[in-house]
PDB file of all heavy atoms in Angstrom:
ATOM      1  N   PHE A  54     102.297 108.620  76.563  1.00 97.00           N
ATOM      2  CA  PHE A  54     103.637 108.330  77.020  1.00 97.00           C
ATOM      3  C   PHE A  54     103.733 106.975  77.694  1.00 97.00           C
ATOM      4  O   PHE A  54     104.687 106.221  77.389  1.00 97.00           O
ATOM      5  CB  PHE A  54     104.045 109.475  78.080  1.00 97.00           C
ATOM      6  CG  PHE A  54     105.339 109.164  78.706  1.00 97.00           C
ATOM      7  CD1 PHE A  54     106.565 109.248  78.090  1.00 97.00           C
ATOM      8  CD2 PHE A  54     105.404 108.877  80.091  1.00 97.00           C
ATOM      9  CE1 PHE A  54     107.741 109.040  78.684  1.00 97.00           C
ATOM     10  CE2 PHE A  54     106.607 108.677  80.744  1.00 97.00           C
ATOM     11  CZ  PHE A  54     107.795 108.732  80.062  1.00 97.00           C
ATOM     12  N   GLU A  55     102.819 106.628  78.510  1.00 97.00           N
ATOM     13  CA  GLU A  55     102.797 105.337  79.228  1.00 97.00           C
ATOM     14  C   GLU A  55     102.683 104.231  78.204  1.00 97.00           C
ATOM     15  O   GLU A  55     103.383 103.207  78.353  1.00 97.00           O
ATOM     16  CB  GLU A  55     101.627 105.293  80.242  1.00 97.00           C
ATOM     17  CG  GLU A  55     101.834 106.302  81.420  1.00 97.00           C
ATOM     18  CD  GLU A  55     101.553 107.703  81.064  1.00 97.00           C
ATOM     19  OE1 GLU A  55     100.967 108.040  80.012  1.00 97.00           O
ATOM     20  OE2 GLU A  55     101.903 108.603  81.874  1.00 97.00           O
ATOM     21  N   CYS A  56     101.795 104.340  77.222  1.00 96.00           N
ATOM     22  CA  CYS A  56     101.663 103.274  76.197  1.00 96.00           C
ATOM     23  C   CYS A  56     102.850 103.129  75.410  1.00 96.00           C
ATOM     24  O   CYS A  56     103.375 102.016  75.019  1.00 96.00           O
ATOM     25  CB  CYS A  56     100.479 103.621  75.290  1.00 96.00           C
ATOM     26  SG  CYS A  56      98.912 103.343  76.157  1.00 96.00           S
ATOM     27  N   ALA A  57     103.495 104.284  75.084  1.00 96.00           N
ATOM     28  CA  ALA A  57     104.836 104.219  74.328  1.00 96.00           C
ATOM     29  C   ALA A  57     105.982 103.543  75.111  1.00 96.00           C
ATOM     30  O   ALA A  57     106.749 102.787  74.570  1.00 96.00           O
ATOM     31  CB  ALA A  57     105.264 105.620  73.864  1.00 96.00           C
ATOM     32  N   LEU A  58     105.990 103.773  76.363  1.00 96.00           N
ATOM     33  CA  LEU A  58     106.971 103.083  77.239  1.00 96.00           C
ATOM     34  C   LEU A  58     106.762 101.572  77.249  1.00 96.00           C
ATOM     35  O   LEU A  58     107.711 100.828  77.053  1.00 96.00           O
ATOM     36  CB  LEU A  58     106.827 103.520  78.739  1.00 96.00           C
ATOM     37  CG  LEU A  58     107.474 104.763  79.213  1.00 96.00           C
ATOM     38  CD1 LEU A  58     107.100 105.142  80.563  1.00 96.00           C
ATOM     39  CD2 LEU A  58     109.009 104.608  79.139  1.00 96.00           C
ATOM     40  N   MET A  59     105.487 101.161  77.417  1.00 96.00           N
ATOM     41  CA  MET A  59     105.285  99.696  77.434  1.00 96.00           C
ATOM     42  C   MET A  59     105.474  99.108  76.037  1.00 96.00           C
ATOM     43  O   MET A  59     106.005  97.961  76.012  1.00 96.00           O
ATOM     44  CB  MET A  59     103.787  99.495  77.852  1.00 96.00           C
ATOM     45  CG  MET A  59     103.540  99.895  79.324  1.00 96.00           C
ATOM     46  SD  MET A  59     101.844  99.649  79.920  1.00 96.00           S
ATOM     47  CE  MET A  59     100.983 100.863  78.955  1.00 96.00           C
ATOM     48  N   GLU A  60     105.173  99.726  74.960  1.00 96.00           N
ATOM     49  CA  GLU A  60     105.320  99.274  73.688  1.00 96.00           C
ATOM     50  C   GLU A  60     106.765  99.099  73.362  1.00 96.00           C
ATOM     51  O   GLU A  60     107.196  98.066  72.773  1.00 96.00           O
ATOM     52  CB  GLU A  60     104.628 100.149  72.569  1.00 96.00           C
ATOM     53  CG  GLU A  60     104.739  99.638  71.191  1.00 96.00           C
ATOM     54  CD  GLU A  60     104.005 100.510  70.192  1.00 96.00           C
ATOM     55  OE1 GLU A  60     102.900 101.008  70.574  1.00 96.00           O
ATOM     56  OE2 GLU A  60     104.572 100.745  69.130  1.00 96.00           O
ATOM     57  N   ARG A  61     107.535 100.127  73.559  1.00 97.00           N
ATOM     58  CA  ARG A  61     108.977 100.133  73.220  1.00 97.00           C
ATOM     59  C   ARG A  61     109.832  99.180  74.132  1.00 97.00           C
ATOM     60  O   ARG A  61     110.677  98.496  73.595  1.00 97.00           O
ATOM     61  CB  ARG A  61     109.493 101.549  73.307  1.00 97.00           C
ATOM     62  CG  ARG A  61     110.972 101.579  72.857  1.00 97.00           C
ATOM     63  CD  ARG A  61     111.430 102.909  72.528  1.00 97.00           C
ATOM     64  NE  ARG A  61     112.695 102.869  71.985  1.00 97.00           N
ATOM     65  CZ  ARG A  61     113.081 103.409  70.818  1.00 97.00           C
ATOM     66  NH1 ARG A  61     112.091 104.078  70.138  1.00 97.00           N
ATOM     67  NH2 ARG A  61     114.256 103.310  70.215  1.00 97.00           N
ATOM     68  N   PHE A  62     109.546  99.175  75.415  1.00 97.00           N
ATOM     69  CA  PHE A  62     110.424  98.464  76.328  1.00 97.00           C
ATOM     70  C   PHE A  62     109.835  97.246  76.992  1.00 97.00           C
ATOM     71  O   PHE A  62     110.524  96.517  77.634  1.00 97.00           O
ATOM     72  CB  PHE A  62     110.906  99.378  77.426  1.00 97.00           C
ATOM     73  CG  PHE A  62     111.651 100.596  76.897  1.00 97.00           C
ATOM     74  CD1 PHE A  62     111.038 101.860  76.989  1.00 97.00           C
ATOM     75  CD2 PHE A  62     112.891 100.560  76.434  1.00 97.00           C
ATOM     76  CE1 PHE A  62     111.682 102.951  76.511  1.00 97.00           C
ATOM     77  CE2 PHE A  62     113.555 101.607  75.999  1.00 97.00           C
ATOM     78  CZ  PHE A  62     112.947 102.880  75.987  1.00 97.00           C
TER      79      PHE A  62
END
Side-chain angles (χ1 to χ4, degrees):
F54 174 68
E55 293 76 13
C56 288
L58 275 172
M59 292 179 293
E60 182 178 319
R61 181 163 191 126
F62 302 107

